[in-house]
Amino acid sequence: MALDAWSIQIDRTSKLFNSLSDDQLKQEVASGRNSGTYLLGHLAAVHDALFPLLGVGEKLYPQLEEVFIKNPDKSGLPKPDTKTLRQCWMDVNKKLDQHFNSFTAEEWFQKHNAVSTSDFEKEPHRNRLNVLLNRTAHLANHLGQLTFLKEK
Amino acid sequence: MALDAWSIQIDRTSKLFNSLSDDQLKQEVASGRNSGTYLLGHLAAVHDALFPLLGVGEKLYPQLEEVFIKNPDKSGLPKPDTKTLRQCWMDVNKKLDQHFNSFTAEEWFQKHNAVSTSDFEKEPHRNRLNVLLNRTAHLANHLGQLTFLKEK
């Protein structure tokens, strides 16, 4: 069910990105706030970080972190073009999906890599499933903002 | 963990509402979009509907549905004042919290009231826990929008 909730948000977000032109994505979602392009890169980067966090491999696009996580939209840093970012978003989520669908129930309850073994013994909820729930909320949060890029 | 994810979003949203003045809440979250006041009423109404949906009682404020679910912000319908809506939000979530914390694991996996017994046999994921996951995403969605009411 948690995986369904994740997939629903991913599908809605992908549909929204696909429905928006590059020019629409360049707009700020609200006056003075992040652009759609920044949020596209931000979400791709945050999801890309799930591979090492969940212990299922390396990031596909480690270069996104500096621009889209460590720095804000108006950092002045050069950004990849929108076409590239769209591809990153799709690649990352497709590969995550493969891992997520292969996890057994037991594997979902294993610890993630940002918690030590001793802390995990005390706090067993700091597991992969919890990361999934948390990132679903994060995605939903930004999806709500991205919908403002649609025509009224 | 799902309940924690819900509570995190509720706490963040409540803190945000408490930090915003009535005047700030009256603003649109983005140009031409819903006002903070409407979203406050909308979230209170959607959460109020969880009592009958989860089979734990009647709505506390059934009058909210017409204005904040069935109709959009600019419906022209008279709205309760912001103070009243703030109270509705707190009352509904406080009472939900009591029910949620009393549910056993088994009770979370029981069917909700928008699914028939025969459909539930075929689709056992249509349970209370699933409603909780769904409403957490809904809340996160609007919380992301409401953050735009904060000063930059």
Side-chain angles (χ1 to χ4, degrees), chain B residues 95-108:
Chain B
K95 196 167 174 193
L96 279 179
D97 203 43
Q98 291 166 359
H99 286 294
F100 289 173
N101 283 303
S102 74
F103 281 160
T104 62
E106 192 186 338
E107 283 170 334
W108 277 112

Side-chain angles (χ1 to χ4, degrees), chain B residues 7-151:
Chain B
S7 298
I8 287 169
Q9 297 299 312
I10 292 285
D11 289 349
R12 285 185 188 162
T13 310
S14 294
K15 269 185 198 151
L16 179 59
F17 283 142
N18 290 339
S19 74
L20 296 168
S21 67
D22 289 1
D23 280 346
Q24 283 176 301
L25 275 176
K26 285 199 185 95
Q27 307 299 312
E28 294 172 340
V29 295
S31 175
R33 305 292 175 170
N34 288 322
S35 65
T37 314
Y38 181 82
L39 287 176
L40 170 59
H42 175 69
L43 289 169
V46 168
H47 291 189
D48 200 21
L50 288 173
F51 296 110
L53 183 59
L54 299 178
V56 292
E58 297 301 314
K59 288 181 186 178
L60 304 182
Y61 302 103
Q63 68 276 19
L64 297 179
E65 181 178 355
E66 187 65 25
V67 186
F68 295 106
I69 298 182
K70 292 192 173 169
N71 283 286
D73 195 359
K74 280 85 178 178
S75 63
L77 292 173
K79 293 186 176 62
D81 63 33
T82 309
K83 189 171 173 234
T84 304
L85 292 175
R86 289 179 188 273
Q87 192 63 47
C88 294
W89 165 257
M90 284 192 295
D91 290 348
V92 165
N93 290 307
K94 189 178 172 189
K95 196 167 174 193
L96 279 179
D97 203 43
Q98 291 166 359
H99 286 294
F100 289 173
N101 283 303
S102 74
F103 281 160
T104 62
E106 192 186 338
E107 283 170 334
W108 277 112
F109 286 93
Q110 285 170 2
K111 85 174 192 67
H112 60 68
N113 284 334
V115 58
S116 70
T117 306
S118 59
D119 283 347
F120 183 63
E121 281 172 16
K122 285 171 270 178
E123 299 172 294
H125 65 278
R126 297 176 71 177
N127 54 39
R128 286 165 164 166
L129 184 58
N130 209 30
V131 170
L132 184 75
L133 292 169
N134 176 299
R135 292 307 182 281
T136 302
H138 175 261
L139 173 56
N141 207 279
H142 288 306
L143 174 56
Q145 302 172 337
L146 284 162
T147 56
F148 292 156
L149 293 174
K150 285 194 294 191
E151 301 285 331

